[in-house]
């Protein structure tokens, strides 16, 4: 028995299947990651094929069968297609990275309401202010790691407990965590923060106020988080979307 499900969703990925169909992977706030087949979706005449396109925010109706990995779409309506993002190479790159992270880190049959809302909000920001896309991506990256339980302990030195914000800089060892300048002298570390860069990370992770930070810091912190994730997930080899351009 299949049941008819209606849900909002964000299209993460889409690919050709067979001669005329498409398979798409979407994230829904209450069903988690869903894969669907759109029969005849490669034809220009297919309305569903047009609506269910990568990056689109849609309302989807599909026949759900738990025993099946790929569900059959019955109807799809467009909510937002983020045309601003699609006009700008930089925002396209960072929005693709948002989709890529969601694709890698979410699973089926799980609720992701907050994560879903957060992703839509960030895409709306990127759509409106394309030149700030890297900053919005960084904010999303931190939010996503916190939402999914990769909570990082950044406030104090792992070894002596010193409050790191008061020290000259912080070092990070991907196995041991964050350490102060003093404790790092006799230990190996893989990433070094200047005091200013470290403060930027703390501000962003605390979500206290809108913190605007230097562009070079944004790239630096994205690089750090990517390495952080690579350390925690063996199969993760870095964000392909960011290597494209
Ligand atoms: Zn210490």
């Amino acid at each position: 028995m299949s049941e008819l499900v209606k849900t909002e969703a964000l299209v993460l990925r889409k690919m050709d299947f067979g001669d005329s169909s498409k398979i798409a992977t979407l994230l829904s706030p209450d069903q988690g990651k869903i894969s669907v087949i759109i029969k005849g979706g490669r034809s220009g005449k297919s309305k569903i094929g047009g609506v269910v396109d990568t990056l689109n925010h849609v309302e989807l109706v599909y026949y759900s069968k738990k025993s099946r990995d790929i569900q059959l779409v019955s109807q799809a309506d467009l909510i937002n297609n983020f045309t601003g993002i699609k006009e700008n190479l930089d925002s396209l790159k960072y929005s693709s990275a948002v989709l890529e992270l969601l694709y890698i880190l979410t699973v089926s049959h799980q609720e992701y309401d907050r994560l879903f809302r957060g992703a839509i909000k960030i895409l709306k920001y990127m759509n409106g202010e394309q030149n700030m896309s890297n900053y919005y991506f960084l904010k999303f990256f931190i939010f996503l790691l916190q939402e999914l339980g990769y909570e990082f302990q950044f406030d104090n030195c792992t070894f002596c407990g010193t409050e790191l914000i008061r020290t000259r800089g912080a070092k990070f060892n991907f196995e041991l965590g964050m350490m102060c300048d003093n404790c790092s002298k006799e230990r190996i570390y893989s990433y070094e923060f200047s005091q200013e860069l470290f403060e930027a990370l703390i501000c962003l992770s605390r979500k206290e106020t809108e913190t605007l930070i230097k562009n070079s810091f944004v790239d630096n912190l994205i690089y750090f988080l990517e390495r952080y994730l690579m350390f925690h997930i063996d199969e993760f080899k870095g964000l392909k979307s960011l290597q494209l351009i």
Side-chain angles (χ1 to χ4, degrees):
M1 271 291 285
S2 61
E3 105 189 82
L4 207 54
V5 176
K6 184 177 180 178
T7 181
E8 260 180 87
L10 175 65
V11 186
L12 306 179
R13 224 172 246 203
K14 189 179 176 184
M15 59 179 188
D16 291 343
F17 183 75
D19 289 338
S20 59
S21 301
K22 289 260 185 198
I23 285 181
T25 307
L26 305 94
L27 182 71
S28 116
D30 45 6
Q31 310 290 321
K33 197 155 75 173
I34 324 162
S35 287
V36 296
I37 184 160
I38 306 149
K39 294 203 168 146
R42 285 166 72 178
S43 152
K45 290 179 197 146
S46 163
K47 185 217 162 201
I48 297 176
V51 168
V52 182
D53 203 2
T54 308
L55 194 64
N56 286 357
H57 179 197
V58 300
E59 186 169 78
L60 190 74
V61 181
Y62 66 96
Y63 296 97
S64 169
K65 206 172 183 180
K66 286 251 159 68
S67 59
R68 209 163 46 189
D69 287 336
I70 297 178
Q71 314 299 341
L72 185 65
V73 179
S74 133
Q75 201 187 318
D77 291 296
L78 188 67
I79 298 175
N80 194 343
N81 58 354
F82 303 109
T83 46
I85 289 180
K86 289 169 185 166
E87 284 164 7
N88 180 292
L89 215 54
D90 225 32
S91 51
L92 200 57
K93 171 170 118 176
Y94 289 104
S95 63
S96 302
V98 168
L99 303 183
E100 191 179 342
L101 280 175
L102 291 172
Y103 185 86
I104 297 168
L105 297 175
T106 58
V107 294
S108 307
H109 310 297
Q110 186 155 328
E111 202 192 294
Y112 290 109
D113 197 56
R114 274 173 53 90
L115 184 61
F116 182 84
R117 303 285 156 221
I120 296 293
K121 195 163 110 185
I122 253 11
L123 292 175
K124 281 184 182 163
Y125 286 151
M126 285 183 179
N127 195 51
E129 293 173 276
Q130 290 103 340
N131 58 342
M132 300 261 295
S133 295
N134 60 345
Y135 170 71
Y136 289 129
F137 174 68
L138 172 62
K139 285 189 67 146
F140 176 76
F141 206 160
I142 292 172
F143 163 74
L144 169 116
L145 292 175
Q146 290 174 333
E147 266 308 295
L148 296 178
Y150 295 91
E151 194 69 60
F152 11 64
Q153 210 281 71
F154 285 159
D155 293 351
N156 302 83
C157 170
T158 315
F159 300 98
C160 68
T162 303
E163 232 185 304
L164 288 168
I165 205 92
R166 296 176 195 280
T167 66
R168 275 181 292 137
K171 314 279 196 314
F172 193 76
N173 174 310
F174 286 94
E175 225 160 320
L176 304 170
M178 209 62 93
M179 54 184 122
C180 71
D181 199 41
N182 208 18
C183 293
S184 72
K185 283 184 183 131
E186 63 246 40
R187 290 179 180 92
I188 296 166
Y189 53 86
S190 29
Y191 193 89
E192 188 172 354
F193 288 89
S194 66
Q195 189 172 2
E196 226 187 326
L197 182 65
F198 185 69
E199 280 169 11
L201 176 66
I202 293 295
C203 283
L204 285 166
S205 63
R206 283 183 187 159
K207 301 173 237 171
E208 282 158 355
T209 45
E210 273 311 297
T211 10
L212 280 186
I213 60 173
K214 281 187 203 167
N215 223 2
S216 61
F217 281 9
V218 173
D219 296 335
N220 242 301
L221 291 175
I222 290 174
Y223 176 87
F224 166 71
L225 293 175
E226 224 184 327
R227 295 299 169 292
Y228 179 81
L229 202 55
M230 279 161 88
F231 175 76
H232 285 278
I233 304 175
D234 284 345
E235 317 86 77
F236 179 64
K237 305 280 180 237
L239 287 162
K240 291 196 186 82
S241 312
L242 299 186
Q243 293 156 12
L244 293 178
I245 310 163

